[in-house]
Amino acid sequence: MTFPTMLMTMASGMLRTILLFILTLLGSIPFGMLVVACKKSKFKPLAWLTEIYIAIMRGTPLMLQLLVWYFGPAYLFGWKVGKFSIFGLEYRFIALLIGFVLNYAAYFAEIYRSGIDSMPVGQYEAAEILGYSKPQTFFGIILPQVVKRVLPAVTNEVITLVKDTSLASILTYEEVFSLAKQISASQTSFLPFVVAGVFYFIANYVVAWIMKALEKSMQYYK
Amino acid sequence: MKKILAIGLSVLMTAFLFAGCTKQAGSTTSEAQNTSGEKFVFKHGFDLDYPPYSYRNDDGEMGGFDVELCQAVCEYNGWDYQPVPFNWDAKDAELSAGNCDCIWSGFTRNGREDDYTWSISYSDNTQMIMVPDDSDIKTLADLEGKVVGVQTATSAYDLLNDEEGQLELKNTFKDLKVYDTYTIAFNDLQVGGIDAIAIDVTSGNFLMNSNKGYHFLDDVLGSEQYAIGFRKGEEELCEQVNQALLALVENGTYDQIGQKYPDIYEYLCLKPEGQE
Amino acid sequence: MANTNMEIENNQDKIVLKMENIHKRFGHLEVLEGIDLTVKHGEVISIIGPSGSGKSTLLRCATFLESIDKGEIVYLDKKAVTTSNSGKVIYSPKAEMKEIKQYFGLVFQQFNLFPHWSVLQNVMDAPLKVLKRDKKEVEAEARVLLERMGLADKADSYPCNLSGGQQQRVAIARALAMKPEILFFDEPTSALDPELTIEVLKIIRKLAEEKMTMVIVTHEMSFARAVSNRVIFMDGGFIVEQGDPEQVFGNPSRDRTKQFLKSYSEQA
């Protein structure tokens, strides 16, 4: 295999890595919000269920969760999940997305929660006195400030996600790291890993740069 | 609760043990070869995920045909045996870093002849196609348009990506799914995610022993030999292992160990002289 | 009830707030033990008393930040809270409460400005989003308000770039922008340095001159004496004494009041 061929193959893997990364973020960032809402729900059973969900998501390896999402229905109900597809997407890929989104939503939810809890009660009281409704208070006053507070923690999580995408190889998703493993094994060469490392580094550099720009855009107030 | 705690603790301790293990392996170098006084420590590098050659057996200990054979070789040569279980993807890094003295883990020599100093071959290996009994796939040609699974960094994988191997066949597949381990590939075969698995006959037999309803196609995908890979140029160490191997074949130890592993017994290719 | 204000006009007989027999407990601690308070239009009332006397809690009950355990609260002609014969506290339906809440504003000790908004936006947002008023009109009014607060040049600043006194004046402008019938102040200068205190008190005095109805919880005795029509001294969850500021400060009738004022003048 020539170096350019290898580079092209691995670049295609990087595209799949980025696709998984973006889809996971698009799903988990808003879903995490819903999870916080459930956790803070006054309906206690829902709050407890959410707590259990978060505990499981954070307390077990993501790789295991991916296997459970894919193989679970087969073992529980005897479904031939390998044959499923929804909107032309293999169940394999759907299980992957469910696994990543639910896992990261749990982490994001905890980050949001800590951010929301750190908001001074005076902000809520001022909003209440001025007559804002609950949604107006949350989306107009609380959330923008929470976003600023949690951004550094979210950045950490997002960078971890870039690297965690390599776990997708467990369900044969050919992201850049599993390609590196395959090429390295067949070519008896360490080079593909170095290339993968460079790809990850560049991706995370871009992510860090974007997050920093976001943080900067919110530095106009303390 | 107590039980969970106990399990958690044992997992932690195992982790520490492993950490200790690798550290030890890293700190010793192979310079102490055959110096008098201190015993030479032979560091056996292998993948713990490759039954029945090297794996964690039912008792939870490191075992398998390769592990036992290597231990016998060490005993014969008067060496101390040290297991160095590694991640298969990192085998070359481990070997060149001196963390282990050899790669001995159902390691295919075909196609890698120039990359290592090779011992004599001690086991044949054939790559086969495994399908469910109710499958409509009867020959290699039937694989056209099907989804086939394979484990990454195995000889079956290499074979399917080798122009001189079965690349042409692979190009008829709808897709080749690459797994981290055959166990997951086999699970996926069970739930219908793939139609067939390309696999070493030995690993395949191991899987089929514990799961009924699967068989190999009669067509053979490819064949090759297992041998022990040493750092290129370490002829002396390689020769010592070769001599020990031949001696173990002669005194019957090789055969005794082989009998413990019926899945691969028929593929063990070393025979005492005069029994060819 | 004695009203010594000599400038009562007709509409100033209008009762803005009436609180009757207000009780409030925190766990076993009785914080308010049957408080009656009536505020007429244009009145400026100062509530003084040692910390823990219940004066801040009274404001928080009046503004519904705290629920009450017994009693009745009426704003203008609207009943907000009543207590049934069986002792059940009944708040008015949500829609009505929403209307009632527009009768009053509250200025906090800690300002509680919204830090992510500019000064102008802090003042304009509630009239826009809550009252759904026209933007041009609201902005014009907001600028006038800021002008009155002496903050015309700070409209585009953010709260974090303002001094405490400036922030509190923005908070007052924000409350006034909602055009409340009555404005509550919860220790508005307690978080401020003495020199910043003065600029806030000046504003409140100006509002008093403009006949803004106000209830001020404060520790600034001389200010309370100068600006209010009525002074209420609270202690231990009761109103111990109330009346004309000259009477309460100059010739208190209760020993407890004397004691408190004495300890205060010693501190000062």
Side-chain angles (χ1 to χ4, degrees):
Chain A
M1 187 180 268
T2 61
F3 185 71
T5 321
M6 186 191 86
L7 219 52
M8 285 310 293
T9 314
M10 292 192 61
S12 74
M14 195 61 208
L15 285 182
R16 276 188 287 270
T17 295
I18 292 168
L19 177 72
L20 178 61
F21 168 78
I22 289 175
L23 290 179
T24 302
L25 281 188
L26 285 181
S28 58
I29 283 183
F31 189 69
M33 214 86 83
L34 190 69
V35 174
V36 181
C38 291
K39 194 179 172 180
K40 290 191 166 286
S41 163
K42 291 209 174 74
F43 181 58
K44 282 296 158 202
L46 183 64
W48 290 330
L49 273 178
T50 313
E51 199 125 343
I52 293 170
Y53 152 73
I54 293 177
I56 293 176
M57 289 297 121
R58 303 208 306 170
T60 61
L62 175 54
M63 187 185 275
L64 179 65
Q65 291 166 22
L66 294 176
L67 288 175
V68 167
W69 286 116
Y70 182 58
F71 289 113
Y75 290 130
L76 289 177
F77 315 112
W79 295 345
K80 286 263 180 189
V81 290
K83 302 277 187 225
F84 285 8
S85 68
I86 301 168
F87 302 126
L89 288 175
E90 279 185 14
Y91 178 69
R92 182 191 307 278
F93 187 63
I94 292 167
L96 199 63
L97 282 185
I98 294 175
F100 269 93
V101 167
L102 290 193
N103 183 275
Y104 269 81
Y107 282 95
F108 282 133
E110 281 300 280
I111 291 174
Y112 299 157
R113 186 196 53 72
S114 70
I116 291 171
D117 288 354
S118 77
M119 286 298 294
V121 68
Q123 292 287 304
Y124 292 96
E125 291 185 345
E128 171 153 10
I129 292 289
L130 289 168
Y132 287 101
S133 68
K134 283 231 161 76
Q136 279 176 332
T137 304
F138 183 74
F139 289 104
I141 294 164
I142 302 301
L143 189 61
Q145 297 183 58
V146 168
V147 167
K148 180 184 164 87
R149 281 167 193 240
V150 302
L151 210 55
V154 167
T155 303
N156 275 340
E157 215 49 55
V158 170
I159 286 178
T160 307
L161 172 61
V162 173
K163 294 176 282 183
D164 266 3
T165 50
S166 67
L167 295 173
S169 71
I170 195 85
L171 296 183
T172 75
Y173 187 73
E174 292 199 323
E175 40 66 50
V176 69
F177 199 71
S178 67
L179 281 174
K181 284 200 271 189
Q182 291 170 26
I183 298 172
S184 164
S186 59
Q187 305 290 310
T188 336
S189 158
F190 197 73
L191 190 59
F193 287 119
V194 177
V195 173
V198 171
F199 277 154
Y200 280 120
F201 183 81
I202 294 173
N204 271 329
Y205 194 84
V206 172
V207 167
W209 184 82
I210 291 172
M211 297 309 271
K212 206 171 193 170
L214 264 176
E215 258 175 69
K216 243 193 180 146
S217 75
M218 284 181 237
Q219 258 165 14
Y220 64 89
Y221 74 92
K222 275 193 214 99
Chain B
M1 193 63 209
K2 261 188 183 156
K3 206 170 173 188
I4 297 174
L5 204 71
I7 293 172
L9 271 178
S10 51
V11 168
L12 260 181
M13 275 159 66
T14 326
F16 275 121
L17 272 177
F18 264 103
C21 237
T22 26
K23 211 170 193 177
Q24 234 180 352
S27 58
T28 44
T29 56
S30 59
E31 64 194 22
Q33 212 153 312
N34 275 358
T35 46
S36 54
E38 259 180 68
K39 255 184 167 181
F40 172 56
V41 178
F42 185 72
K43 287 169 288 182
H44 175 200
F46 61 96
D47 181 6
L48 255 181
D49 214 0
Y50 201 65
Y53 287 97
S54 50
Y55 65 113
R56 201 168 277 287
N57 62 27
D58 294 344
D59 302 327
E61 294 181 3
M62 291 184 242
F65 178 79
D66 284 354
V67 171
E68 289 197 45
L69 188 59
C70 183
Q71 283 166 341
V73 164
C74 286
E75 198 176 335
Y76 182 86
N77 280 341
W79 297 338
D80 272 341
Y81 172 80
Q82 187 186 358
V84 183
F86 52 46
N87 187 319
W88 193 240
D89 299 319
K91 57 184 182 302
D92 293 312
E94 300 272 7
L95 183 68
S96 51
N99 295 344
C100 58
D101 295 317
C102 66
I103 300 171
W104 187 344
S105 190
F107 194 29
T108 306
R109 62 176 295 168
N110 313 66
R112 302 190 177 104
E113 286 86 352
D114 299 334
D115 297 332
Y116 306 90
T117 291
W118 289 100
S119 73
I120 52 173
S121 303
Y122 63 91
S123 176
D124 287 332
N125 187 31
T126 314
Q127 283 78 49
M128 305 292 283
I129 295 290
M130 185 200 286
V131 293
D133 286 347
D134 58 5
S135 169
D136 55 356
I137 301 169
K138 309 289 180 209
T139 66
L140 291 183
D142 293 339
L143 289 169
E144 187 176 344
K146 302 289 186 187
V147 183
V148 181
V150 70
Q151 179 181 321
T152 183
T154 57
S155 39
Y157 173 87
D158 288 344
L159 190 66
L160 287 169
N161 286 288
D162 185 356
E163 277 172 39
E164 288 160 30
Q166 295 281 16
L167 181 63
E168 222 168 295
L169 178 70
K170 181 191 118 173
N171 290 337
T172 69
F173 300 166
K174 183 182 172 203
D175 195 8
L176 180 70
K177 296 280 184 201
V178 184
Y179 296 85
D180 288 358
T181 72
Y182 270 122
T183 326
I184 293 172
F186 189 68
N187 276 312
D188 214 357
L189 183 66
Q190 287 176 315
V191 303
I194 50 179
D195 302 304
I197 292 178
I199 189 169
D200 299 332
V201 69
T202 46
S203 312
N205 275 329
F206 188 80
L207 285 173
M208 288 193 292
N209 274 349
S210 38
N211 297 276
K212 297 284 164 258
Y214 300 87
H215 66 273
F216 289 132
L217 297 186
D218 292 336
D219 296 354
V220 170
L221 198 61
S223 82
E224 56 182 32
Q225 281 77 44
Y226 285 163
I228 307 152
F230 296 89
R231 269 181 298 274
K232 214 158 163 53
E234 295 211 338
E235 310 286 347
E236 192 190 339
L237 185 60
C238 178
E239 196 45 37
Q240 284 172 325
V241 172
N242 276 341
Q243 292 310 320
L245 270 178
L246 291 173
L248 293 173
V249 171
E250 286 307 319
N251 71 18
T253 312
Y254 172 81
D255 189 65
Q256 271 170 22
I257 296 173
Q259 282 180 14
K260 293 197 216 164
Y261 300 92
D263 292 332
I264 60 170
Y265 183 62
E266 59 176 305
Y267 302 101
L268 300 179
C269 55
L270 295 177
K271 302 278 185 277
E273 269 186 58
Q275 275 194 30
E276 283 301 321
Chain C
M1 188 168 296
N3 191 325
T4 52
N5 192 332
M6 304 306 288
E7 297 178 334
I8 303 170
E9 293 165 24
N10 281 342
N11 76 329
Q12 284 173 334
D13 278 333
K14 186 167 76 172
I15 291 174
V16 180
L17 167 65
K18 191 168 182 186
M19 298 175 86
E20 255 176 19
N21 195 24
I22 303 296
H23 285 257
K24 175 67 185 173
R25 264 191 320 274
F26 288 125
H28 292 296
L29 187 69
E30 290 265 1
V31 188
L32 300 177
E33 300 191 47
I35 302 284
D36 296 317
L37 173 65
T38 303
V39 184
K40 286 187 182 159
H41 185 85
E43 256 194 312
V44 176
I45 299 176
S46 292
I47 305 179
I48 59 171
S51 47
S53 59
K55 50 195 196 306
S56 278
T57 305
L58 183 63
L59 278 202
R60 293 176 64 83
C61 286
T63 53
F64 312 118
L65 290 176
E66 300 283 355
S67 59
I68 59 172
D69 293 317
K70 193 179 168 189
E72 212 170 275
I73 301 176
V74 183
Y75 275 96
L76 296 170
D77 49 348
K78 288 201 167 59
K79 264 199 177 135
V81 201
T82 54
T83 303
S84 71
N85 289 336
S86 59
K88 196 164 176 258
V89 177
I90 304 156
Y91 279 79
S92 289
K94 234 180 168 179
E96 205 162 322
M97 287 303 284
K98 206 181 158 192
E99 243 175 90
I100 293 170
K101 281 178 182 178
Q102 285 172 12
Y103 289 153
F104 60 78
L106 172 60
V107 174
F108 299 85
Q109 181 179 347
Q110 299 294 342
F111 332 136
N112 295 341
L113 292 177
F114 304 126
H116 57 306
W117 289 341
S118 70
V119 165
L120 189 64
Q121 207 177 348
N122 262 283
V123 179
M124 284 173 61
D125 197 79
L128 286 179
K129 303 263 173 61
V130 178
L131 303 179
K132 315 254 186 267
R133 292 181 49 203
D134 174 67
K135 190 173 173 193
K136 262 190 195 153
E137 216 179 281
V138 169
E139 183 173 343
E141 281 180 19
R143 289 196 186 275
V144 170
L145 271 174
L146 288 176
E147 177 87 54
R148 277 168 63 195
M149 298 295 137
L151 293 168
D153 57 329
K154 297 289 181 191
D156 296 322
S157 301
Y158 284 85
C160 60
N161 297 321
L162 301 183
S163 72
Q166 290 170 327
Q167 288 191 51
Q168 193 60 297
R169 282 183 281 155
V170 175
I172 294 171
R174 180 176 72 174
L176 289 173
M178 294 298 281
K179 302 188 174 168
E181 295 282 335
I182 176 170
L183 193 51
F184 297 98
F185 291 83
D186 187 5
E187 304 195 20
T189 59
S190 293
L192 300 176
D193 294 336
E195 63 267 37
L196 301 180
T197 298
I198 294 167
E199 57 187 51
V200 172
L201 294 183
K202 260 190 201 158
I203 296 288
I204 299 176
R205 190 189 293 260
K206 217 160 94 184
L207 290 175
E209 283 161 10
E210 291 163 12
K211 293 285 165 284
M212 180 78 211
T213 313
M214 292 186 285
V215 177
I216 306 159
V217 168
T218 184
H219 291 296
E220 300 289 334
M221 297 306 158
S222 50
F223 169 74
R225 187 171 188 164
V227 84
S228 20
N229 314 115
R230 179 149 53 109
V231 173
I232 295 176
F233 172 62
M234 276 183 75
D235 190 22
F238 294 99
I239 292 181
V240 176
E241 183 166 359
Q242 61 177 313
D244 182 286
E246 289 312 317
Q247 178 249 309
V248 174
F249 284 109
N251 186 21
S253 59
R254 300 298 176 101
D255 288 345
R256 186 70 193 90
T257 317
K258 284 179 198 159
Q259 222 178 338
F260 171 74
L261 290 173
K262 187 158 172 266
S263 73
Y264 227 90
S265 58
E266 276 167 6
Q267 267 175 37

